[in-house]
């Protein structure tokens, strides 16, 4: 069991668990937090594969842009601020 | 001697010192403990562990130097606002050094305040947002080198992080997520509007910002800070890419949210914008992060357009870099207290209809200059 394997298992389980949380979360914004965690974990996996450029583009495009577009979509289409406030 | 060698020397000395005592301690114990002690000592002296600790120490030194500069920036902000608006600014705390200690006093005051989470707020998002915001801003600082010898490198030859400049821009672009999260989770109309404004502003101004940076990458032929600055040895990119420099500065002002573009925090309309519900040190962190991002912005503008650490050699390289970054920040402050705040539709209009075409034109000029071989 090398250190590399331990780091890989940590990142892979973080990606999988956060991906599950995207589906399971009650508040839809919590799903977005899970999505960002998943993207960052995958970016770190790219760094482990010696693909730094792909990792940086992953941060720039997915974390920086796609997430914000999704959040915009959520916030422009909901009437209540929070799900838990719905009567 | 570059920073890596310096840190490696310190770590190597420290590990040798501790290992010496550690082995001696292991020798006095029975053999089954002694074997364990030897294994741990060998691991501590192994090459991978030494490199890891060296990089950690490098990060700590770089962040500490950057944070001291951030304190200076906050002091300049308060002192210069005082000069322009005709009052003294910080004065009595640290009387002999121009009130420099005032920020530390304010920081201590904020630290001892109670941490309050509003009852209707979403706890997870409310507590996570400052962490993401501060963390992503500190990430920018870690990759910016102050000179050829003072930067984050992973081996003795002083080669810096691959695509470090692109990484800095990527870390810059994480902030809107934290801001929207903060605005949403505070569960308040004003914070939500502030967060939406902030995210809209940052998204629309990020595109011209990255296009201007792309023109610099194109001309320099590299994503690496050291290569970009070396490419400006003969002529600063300020002169051939003047349009790009102006667009870059305007976009930076919008990114760090200072006055002509501080709509997300507009006090007169939105109380305090997306930081309304935050108190104590969490507000302090947001306040500090604005200064961190100003410093990062000034450093990026310096490295991309103002020749980085090049300058007459009677002043050290690092000081040249900082002087230029301070000048960029002073220009920001000068603008801040001279122009009024714009309306949200005006601001987005300028971003999409004026700055974006200018940025594309700048990219075109850069491509022509590069393919013609004039630069």
């Amino acid at each position: 069991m090398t250190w590399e394997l331990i780091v890989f298992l940590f990142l892979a389980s973080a990606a999988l668990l956060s991906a599950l949380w995207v589906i399971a979360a009650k508040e839809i914004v919590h799903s977005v937090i899970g999505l960002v965690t998943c993207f960052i974990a995958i970016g770190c996996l790219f760094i482990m594969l010696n693909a730094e450029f792909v990792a940086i583009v992953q941060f720039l495009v997915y974390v920086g842009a796609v997430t914000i577009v999704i959040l915009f979509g959520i916030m422009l289409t909901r009437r209540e601020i929070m799900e838990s406030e719905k009567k | 001697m570059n920073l890596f060698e310096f840190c490696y020397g310190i770590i190597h000395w420290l590990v040798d010192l501790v290992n010496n005592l550690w082995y001696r301690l292991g020798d006095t114990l029975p053999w089954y403990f002694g074997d364990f002690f030897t294994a741990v000592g060998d691991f501590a002296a192994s090459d991978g562990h030494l490199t890891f600790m060296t990089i950690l120490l490098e990060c700590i030194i770089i962040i500490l130097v950057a944070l001291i500069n951030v304190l200076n920036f906050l002091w300049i902000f308060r002192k210069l606002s005082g000069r322009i608006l005709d009052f003294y600014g910080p004065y009595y705390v640290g009387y002999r050094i121009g009130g420099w200690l005032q920020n530390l006093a304010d920081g201590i005051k904020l630290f001892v305040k109670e941490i309050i989470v509003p009852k209707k707020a979403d706890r997870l998002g409310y507590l996570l947002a400052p962490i993401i915001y501060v963390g992503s801003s500190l990430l920018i600082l870690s990759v910016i080198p102050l000179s050829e010898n003072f930067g984050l490198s992973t081996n003795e030859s002083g080669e810096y992080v691959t695509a470090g400049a692109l990484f800095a821009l990527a870390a810059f672009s994480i902030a809107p997520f934290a801001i929207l999260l903060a605005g949403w989770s505070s569960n308040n109309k004003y914070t939500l509007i502030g967060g939406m404004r902030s995210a809209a502003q940052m998204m629309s101004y990020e595109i011209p910002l990255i296009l201007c940076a792309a023109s610099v990458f194109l001309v320099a032929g590299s994503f690496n800070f050291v290569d970009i600055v070396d490419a400006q040895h003969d002529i600063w990119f300020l002169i051939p890419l003047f349009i790009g420099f102006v667009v870059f500065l305007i976009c930076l002002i919008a990114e760090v949210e200072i006055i002509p573009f501080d709509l997300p925090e507009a006090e007169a309309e939105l109380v305090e914008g997306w930081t309304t519900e935050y108190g104590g040190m969490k507000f302090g962190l947001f306040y500090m992060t604005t200064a961190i991002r100003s410093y990062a912005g000034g450093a990026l503008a310096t490295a991309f357009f103002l020749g980085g650490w090049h300058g007459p050699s009677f002043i050290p390289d690092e000081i040249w870099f900082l002087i230029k970054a301070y000048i960029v920040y002073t220009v920001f402050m000068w603008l801040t207290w001279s122009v009024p705040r714009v309306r949200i539709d005006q601001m987005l209009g300028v971003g999409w209809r004026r700055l974006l075409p200018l940025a594309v034109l700048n990219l075109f000029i850069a491509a022509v200059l590069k393919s013609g071989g004039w630069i």
Side-chain angles (χ1 to χ4, degrees):
Chain A
M1 193 124 159
T2 58
W3 285 101
E4 207 175 353
L5 185 64
I6 293 172
V7 174
F8 170 76
L9 284 178
F10 172 73
L11 288 174
S13 57
L16 282 177
L17 288 177
S18 55
L20 281 177
W21 192 37
V22 172
I23 306 168
K26 287 259 173 12
E27 295 273 355
I28 199 160
V29 178
H30 289 178
S31 306
V32 178
I33 299 176
L35 199 62
V36 168
T37 318
C38 184
F39 286 153
I40 291 178
I42 290 172
C44 294
L45 281 177
F46 280 132
I47 293 181
M48 281 192 71
L49 297 171
N50 281 335
E52 287 98 347
F53 189 79
V54 184
I56 291 169
V57 171
Q58 168 95 9
F59 293 145
L60 190 66
V61 174
Y62 282 84
V63 181
V66 169
T67 318
I68 308 298
V69 172
I70 291 174
L71 269 178
F72 256 106
I74 293 166
M75 291 194 183
L76 289 177
T77 51
R78 297 188 76 81
R79 297 233 299 287
E80 300 85 6
I81 295 184
M82 283 194 188
E83 188 78 19
S84 51
E85 297 220 322
K86 206 183 269 179
K87 295 285 170 350
Chain B
M1 186 164 79
N2 62 27
L3 189 63
F4 184 89
E5 287 171 14
F6 176 73
C7 294
Y8 194 82
I10 289 180
I11 293 288
H12 205 273
W13 175 76
L14 212 62
V15 165
D16 272 358
L17 190 74
V18 173
N19 259 1
N20 214 346
L21 299 171
W22 184 257
Y23 285 137
R24 199 163 294 172
L25 190 66
D27 286 343
T28 61
L29 292 170
W31 61 272
Y32 41 91
F33 285 120
D35 278 359
F36 170 72
F37 272 55
T38 314
V40 172
D42 287 347
F43 172 71
S46 69
D47 213 28
H49 179 260
L50 284 180
T51 312
F52 178 76
M53 294 310 272
T54 307
I55 294 171
L56 206 63
L57 188 64
E58 272 185 306
C59 289
I60 291 170
I61 290 176
I62 288 172
I63 295 285
L64 276 183
V65 169
L67 284 182
I68 291 168
N69 280 308
V70 165
L71 272 182
N72 281 338
F73 269 49
L74 280 171
W75 177 74
I76 288 175
F77 168 67
R78 302 175 77 160
K79 208 68 182 168
L80 210 65
S81 351
R83 285 296 161 208
I84 295 173
L85 302 178
D86 206 10
F87 63 92
Y88 283 119
Y91 193 73
Y92 289 108
V93 187
Y95 180 73
R96 290 191 190 279
I97 44 177
W100 194 84
L101 296 175
Q102 181 68 52
N103 287 314
L104 291 180
D106 286 351
I108 291 167
K109 187 200 92 172
L110 288 171
F111 256 119
V112 298
K113 277 190 169 183
E114 188 188 352
I115 295 173
I116 300 171
V117 179
K119 194 182 167 195
K120 284 198 159 181
D122 179 66
R123 251 190 112 78
L124 177 73
Y126 184 85
L127 295 176
L128 201 61
I131 299 173
I132 299 174
Y133 194 51
V134 175
S136 68
S137 303
L138 285 175
L139 264 183
I140 313 170
L141 299 184
S142 67
V143 291
I144 296 175
L146 293 188
S147 79
E148 277 182 12
N149 294 324
F150 192 93
L152 190 64
S153 57
T154 49
N155 52 17
E156 289 86 355
S157 58
E159 282 172 13
Y160 293 134
V161 187
T162 331
L166 199 65
F167 183 80
L169 291 172
F172 233 90
S173 71
I174 296 177
F177 169 63
I179 291 171
L180 263 178
L181 194 61
W184 172 82
S185 59
S186 301
N187 202 355
N188 177 331
K189 288 190 202 76
Y190 296 119
T191 57
L192 189 65
I193 296 171
M196 293 291 278
R197 278 186 181 185
S198 177
Q201 167 179 332
M202 283 196 173
M203 270 195 64
S204 52
Y205 277 76
E206 208 143 73
I207 298 164
L209 184 87
I210 290 180
L211 278 177
C212 291
S215 69
V216 172
F217 299 152
L218 183 67
V219 172
S222 172
F223 288 123
N224 196 328
F225 273 114
V226 178
D227 293 344
I228 289 170
V229 173
D230 280 346
Q232 301 178 61
H233 190 263
D234 298 326
I235 184 167
W236 294 1
F237 288 157
L238 169 67
I239 295 157
L241 302 176
F242 185 72
I243 305 171
F245 178 63
V246 173
V247 173
F248 193 81
L249 277 196
I250 295 174
C251 292
L252 275 183
I253 292 174
E255 286 280 317
V256 302
E257 293 176 359
I258 50 182
I259 270 190
F261 299 125
D262 80 330
L263 289 143
E265 295 172 21
E267 297 96 346
E269 309 160 24
L270 294 178
V271 197
E272 251 304 310
W274 51 275
T275 58
T276 304
E277 296 283 351
Y278 283 89
M281 197 52 210
K282 288 200 288 301
F283 172 75
L285 284 178
F286 281 135
Y287 190 78
M288 187 185 79
T289 309
T290 312
I292 291 178
R293 291 171 75 80
S294 311
Y295 170 67
L300 284 182
T302 305
F304 287 168
F305 292 100
L306 295 178
W309 46 82
H310 290 313
S313 60
F314 57 91
I315 298 178
D317 287 353
E318 292 84 359
I319 307 293
W320 265 120
F321 191 91
L322 288 178
I323 286 174
K324 289 172 187 172
Y326 278 51
I327 288 174
V328 172
Y329 187 64
T330 312
V331 171
F332 283 180
M333 282 302 113
W334 183 23
L335 265 176
T336 293
W337 299 113
S338 322
V339 291
R341 181 183 302 138
V342 296
R343 246 183 12 236
I344 182 83
D345 57 321
Q346 290 171 331
M347 192 201 70
L348 290 179
V350 166
W352 287 106
R353 286 198 226 112
R354 304 284 186 279
L355 294 184
L356 188 58
L358 279 176
V360 174
L361 176 70
N362 179 58
L363 191 59
F364 179 71
I365 292 173
V368 169
L369 286 175
K370 181 73 178 176
S371 56
W374 289 298
I375 198 166

